[in-house]
Every structure is written in C-alpha cells, then in structure tokens.
Amino acid sequence: MLKTATNQSQGMLLFRLNSRQLFAIGTLKVKEIVPFTPLTAIPQSHPTVLGAASLRGDTLPVIDMAKAIGYPALTQEELKKCYIIITDCRRKLVGFLVRGIDKITECNWHNIDAPPPSLGRNIFVTGVTNIENQLVQLLDIELLLSKVFPDSPESLHPVLTDVQRETLRPLKILLVDDSAVARRQLCQAMDSVSIPYHIATTGTDALRMLNQAADAGQPFEILVSDIEMPGLDGYELAFEVQNNSKLTGTYIILHTSLSSEISVSQAHQVGAHEALTKFEANELIHAMLRGAHQHQESKVG
C-alpha cells in the first residue's frame, strides 16, 4: 500500500500570480493559507521580501512571489485582496504573497512532464501538467528560496578527514533530485571534498541507472534521493530498490525540504536507511559514511 499511497497523499495548491497562468506547489509544503495581513518592514532585506508577518506566535518573512520569479510586483492597491501561502521548506517558515488562490486539487504526480524548452533555462519551474484543460506550472520553491535566502558557504562544504574521504571515494554513489538548485548544492558538496558521483534528475532515470549498474556487475553502493519528485518519487524509488534482490545492497538516504516527522517516518517504512531534512552538507556526508561502514561490515561478515 505504501508504494502507491506516497504520491497520492500529496495534492496540489493552485494559485495565480497574474490573470492568465496557473501555478502550483505540492500541498505537503503548505502549512497554511491566510488573507493578507499588515507587514512589518525588515531592514536590509531582499527586494522581494515585503516585510514580516506575525501569525500564531511565529514571525516569518513574506515574499512577493510574482516579483521573485520575474512578474510585475504587487501594487499597494492589490495587497488587501491577496493571500499569503505559508510554507515549511528548507527548515524555514516563509510566506508567499500571491494574487489569488484557485483551489487545492488531487494530482497524479506521474502525469507531470518536464518543462518544455520554450520556457527557457533560467526558470522557477520543475514541471508542467494539465488540470481541467489548463496548463499548470509547478514552481521550484527551493530555487526561489535559494535566491532570496542564499545558503552560507559553510552549509554547502562538508569537512572530512583524509581517512573519511578515502572511505567514500571508492564507492559508487548516485544522487537524485529534480530541483536544479538542489542538484547544484549536492554537486558542490561532493566536488568540494573530491568524492566522485553520478547524478539523475528523475526517479525513473535513477532506477534505470541502478538496474543497469547492477546488471553490469558494478552496483551503486549509496543512493541519495530527494523525496518530493514528480513521477517516481523518493519513497517509490526506495520501495523499488528494496524489493529488487539485485539492488538490496544499496544504502538508501532520502532527503526532504519538508520539516516533517511524517516524511521521515514514511521514508523508514519504505526501506530507506536514513531520512534527512535538507540541506546541510556535513549531515549528508556523515550519512554516506554510515552507509560506507555498513558496506564494510557486510563484506567482513
């Protein structure tokens, strides 16, 4: 049941940043939706941060989402009719001000396609789908947040001893993430400590690479995968790996931008060895080291 329930448990929140195009984010990232509330200015904040809101004991920054992705900024007259989508992502509560909320709908995440080349390369879209004959663009919230609140260099560069580095270097490691910014962070972390790796942008591609490597007698020892991906998500990928006898030696590390105990619990239920809320490079590298040690122990045993 878990295999088929993971994608079905997340719907889509549809909203508008202009009068024409529908946008969406997965409901697991959404904590609450509230009407516009007066904001307190934040000195020296990013130009897209309109201020801070105090909601239910939490103070959180509020971003003009339209302006953040390149659309016209909200006017003062529009603000009172807008809504704030409060998200819990990358260990941070953030509000996104949008022009209108359309609805929350069920979604088959396997029906989400990659963005067409016509949208260009520097976009905040991870996928597109069609809902009730309307094109919907799925926004890359992680990329947006990384532009407004850049990660500190320390969080991207792990610290390893020579012994730890040499423990990881011989292993075949596969990184999987649909988000361009998350892939870049993963690659920077690995490159900074000179650890080789392979990369996939979808769960389907990752499963194909895992099977091909196993068939060639050179299986991947460590799999690091995002959870929230269109198509074959991280839960399903872990489930497929654990239910394939030729892949069961793979040490599975799932990571998520959601600060949720539910995500971590589900990750363990589908067979993942580790579940991390991303992104902190040292946490990730040390999870890999635990995988390396498990492989060493299994060889000794």
Side-chain angles (χ1 to χ4, degrees):
M1 292 294 291
L2 263 172
K3 177 186 174 185
T4 57
T6 52
N7 269 331
Q8 293 174 4
S9 65
Q10 179 170 206
M12 271 190 179
L13 170 63
L14 306 183
F15 57 90
R16 295 186 183 274
L17 302 178
N18 59 25
S19 60
R20 301 179 302 278
Q21 178 61 53
L22 266 179
F23 294 91
I25 57 176
T27 53
L28 288 178
K29 289 185 170 72
V30 179
K31 185 177 177 67
E32 191 175 2
I33 303 168
V34 299
F36 176 76
T37 184
L39 306 175
T40 303
I42 304 175
Q44 300 180 330
S45 58
H46 191 275
T48 62
V49 177
L50 299 181
S54 296
L55 297 167
R56 313 202 196 292
D58 292 315
T59 300
L60 58 146
V62 176
I63 296 170
D64 180 344
M65 183 182 274
K67 183 177 180 180
I69 69 168
Y71 283 88
L74 293 165
T75 65
Q76 288 297 318
E77 292 73 22
E78 289 178 297
L79 288 181
K80 60 183 68 176
K81 298 179 182 179
C82 292
Y83 289 86
I84 301 174
I85 302 172
I86 301 173
T87 65
D88 185 356
C89 187
R90 301 178 82 220
R91 303 181 183 179
K92 190 177 185 68
L93 281 179
V94 176
F96 289 102
L97 204 59
V98 300
R99 282 185 164 88
I101 300 294
D102 194 84
K103 63 182 175 181
I104 292 176
T105 183
E106 293 183 356
C107 174
N108 184 341
W109 288 77
H110 293 275
N111 292 337
I112 296 175
D113 299 318
S118 59
L119 291 179
R121 295 181 60 187
N122 298 316
I123 58 171
F124 294 88
V125 177
T126 58
V128 295
T129 190
N130 194 289
I131 296 178
E132 297 177 359
N133 295 319
Q134 285 189 286
L135 181 70
V136 177
Q137 296 184 7
L138 183 64
L139 283 185
D140 189 341
I141 294 297
E142 292 183 348
L143 177 58
L144 197 159
L145 288 175
S146 74
K147 301 291 187 183
V148 180
F149 306 110
D151 290 295
S152 65
E154 294 77 15
S155 70
L156 300 176
H157 299 141
V159 178
L160 285 182
T161 65
D162 289 341
V163 171
Q164 290 172 327
R165 180 182 294 106
E166 295 309 311
T167 299
L168 289 176
R169 280 179 59 80
L171 298 182
K172 197 169 182 182
I173 299 170
L174 178 60
L175 311 177
V176 192
D177 208 300
D178 67 311
S179 167
V181 65
R183 289 196 302 273
R184 185 172 66 249
Q185 290 173 338
L186 288 166
C187 293
Q188 286 176 347
M190 302 295 280
D191 291 342
S192 70
V193 287
S194 301
I195 296 173
Y197 57 89
H198 299 257
I199 197 156
T201 59
T202 69
T204 302
D205 283 345
L207 186 59
R208 174 183 54 78
M209 293 170 67
L210 287 160
N211 279 308
Q212 288 178 346
D215 289 340
Q218 297 177 321
F220 284 98
E221 285 99 346
I222 295 180
L223 168 66
V224 179
S225 175
D226 185 23
I227 290 177
E228 301 87 27
M229 296 186 295
L232 193 73
D233 69 13
Y235 294 131
E236 293 179 310
L237 178 58
F239 187 94
E240 293 288 348
V241 170
Q242 288 289 36
N243 282 272
N244 186 331
S245 59
K246 66 183 179 184
L247 302 180
T248 52
T250 307
Y251 191 85
I252 304 170
I253 303 168
L254 294 184
H255 58 86
T256 174
S257 58
L258 305 174
S259 304
S260 171
E261 293 181 2
I262 296 175
S263 297
V264 172
S265 174
Q266 283 188 312
H268 290 307
Q269 288 181 53
V270 294
H273 299 87
E274 308 248 2
L276 308 174
T277 54
K278 63 181 177 187
F279 178 79
E280 209 288 320
N282 275 313
E283 287 186 18
L284 177 60
I285 291 296
H286 282 87
M288 291 183 185
L289 282 168
R290 288 189 287 273
H293 292 147
Q294 177 165 306
H295 277 288
Q296 289 174 345
E297 291 172 0
S298 64
K299 290 179 180 178
V300 172

